[in-house]
Amino acid sequence: MTLLAAAGPGFGQQLKVKPLVTDLFTADPSAHVFDGRIYIYPSHDIEANVPQDDEGGHFNMRDYHVYSMDSIGGKVTDHGVALDLKDIPWAGRQLWAPDAAFRNGTYYLYFPAKDKDDVFRIGVATSRSPAGPFKAEPQPIPGSYSIDPAVFTDTDGQAYLYFGGIWGGQLQRWHTGRYDKTLSTDLGKGREQEPALSAKVAKLSGDMLTFAETPRDVRIVDANGKPLLAGDHDRRFFEGAWMHKFNGKYYFSYSTGDTHYLCYAESDSPYGPFTYKGVLMKPVEGWTTHHSMVEFRGKWYIFYHDAELSGKTHLRNIKVRELVRNQDGSIKTIDP
Ligand code: FUB
């Protein structure tokens, strides 16, 4: 176990926020509170010397570390390698943004990786400890595809898996229901007036290892109930889904990718449709950010990343700051 940099001064006052981890590059932080402690499940960025492209080939990560903190702003503990690419029987390359969940004494790590045919799938690994190490299931979740799994357990105990990402995340290649390698980025020019591609959601089975239903579209509509369009790059879904519940409402938040916003939308159901509400966070330093939100000791926090330490888009560092809500449940836009 290594003790690393803490959030540092300025935290909570919305001054300059410091990276949580400084000895490794980390990104895509999914945070959860397990046994009263904050656990963070990030990607572990490395310099793999792969040239940058629209497919994200330069994000060539090979393992996961789990971090934990007993308080926001406190020491960050690195629990070491929790899962390594070489120990995932079906995976070929690129361990991207993971998430975690707990049920009946077992912790579940959900992660995307390209299989041996270079198609993104979503895998599961299990552990008796939130810090791992995790043991991967021999096959990816049947019927899974694309990237960025986010698990949400509702107040009635039902767990849902949200996932998907366009461009390098390959979601567009499944547009016809079968994998089509020729479909690039967000389906291309001339489709700007069509509904945008949607993230997916599926109930998880009781053992948390399979989908209990065929994944459904997470529809996002505007205030008039019209679907957001593919050409609406400032508002449409790109990747990085997250779900949380607040005062009985479901909040679906996500990244707009090429326009670099985090946005959110609200619904009365975990399936949606979700009504677009606004920008959660303006662009950070670097190409992407990817977030999670968690309630801890009566306050809500957003975990995210930027590229402050390296100045390079593929070598990122995770951060945390407080999330401020207005009285109607809407979220104050963060300008990092
Ligand atoms: O970390 C690799 C990819 O970059 C993630 O899966 C996306 O959400 C973006 O952050």
Side-chain angles (χ1 to χ4, degrees), residues 197-325:
L197 293 172
S198 297
K200 304 288 174 184
V201 57
K203 269 185 184 167
L204 286 169
S205 54
D207 66 5
M208 303 288 275
L209 299 177
T210 59
F211 292 150
E213 60 185 358
T214 304
R216 312 177 188 200
D217 282 343
V218 179
R219 290 180 51 229
I220 306 173
V221 299
D222 65 16
N224 299 315
K226 297 235 170 71
L228 298 190
L229 300 180
D232 188 352
H233 290 230
D234 281 351
R235 299 194 299 173
R236 60 95 171 87
F237 171 79
F238 188 102
E239 64 182 10
W242 189 255
M243 168 61 61
H244 77 281
K245 196 174 185 181
F246 180 78
N247 279 351
K249 298 267 187 203
Y250 296 86
Y251 291 87
F252 178 73
S253 46
Y254 56 97
S255 166
T256 62
D258 57 340
T259 49
H260 319 295
Y261 295 112
L262 292 180
C263 295
Y264 73 104
E266 182 193 289
S267 178
D268 291 324
S269 160
Y271 289 124
F274 292 86
T275 305
Y276 178 84
K277 287 291 171 186
V279 173
L280 184 63
M281 188 182 272
K282 293 183 179 173
V284 299
E285 185 181 353
W287 199 85
T288 63
T289 193
H290 178 125
H291 76 298
S292 64
M293 293 181 223
V294 70
E295 188 178 13
F296 185 65
R297 296 183 186 155
K299 287 186 174 177
W300 280 87
Y301 297 92
I302 180 166
F303 288 74
Y304 63 103
H305 67 236
D306 64 22
E308 178 188 331
L309 289 178
S310 74
K312 296 181 180 175
T313 58
H314 64 298
L315 297 176
R316 301 161 291 177
N317 49 261
I318 58 171
K319 295 185 169 182
V320 59
R321 61 197 299 160
E322 196 175 331
L323 196 70
V324 182
R325 282 184 187 273

Side-chain angles (χ1 to χ4, degrees), residues 28 43 61 96-97 147-148 239 288 290 305 316:
D28 310 322
S43 302
M61 298 84 106
W96 283 15
I147 59 167
D148 291 359
E239 64 182 10
T288 63
H290 178 125
H305 67 236
R316 301 161 291 177

Side-chain angles (χ1 to χ4, degrees), residues 55 96 119-122 143-148 162-181 183-187 196-201 215-218 236-241 252:
E55 303 257 314
W96 283 15
V119 178
F120 268 118
R121 306 282 180 182
I122 295 169
S144 70
Y145 51 91
S146 198
I147 59 167
D148 291 359
Y162 295 80
F163 63 94
I166 61 174
W167 292 31
Q170 300 181 343
L171 184 63
Q172 71 283 350
R173 294 185 178 173
W174 294 91
H175 189 51
T176 60
R178 294 181 54 212
Y179 184 74
D180 179 351
K181 197 181 171 190
L183 297 176
S184 62
T185 64
D186 48 1
L187 292 184
L197 293 172
S198 297
K200 304 288 174 184
V201 57
R216 312 177 188 200
D217 282 343
V218 179
R236 60 95 171 87
F237 171 79
F238 188 102
E239 64 182 10
F252 178 73

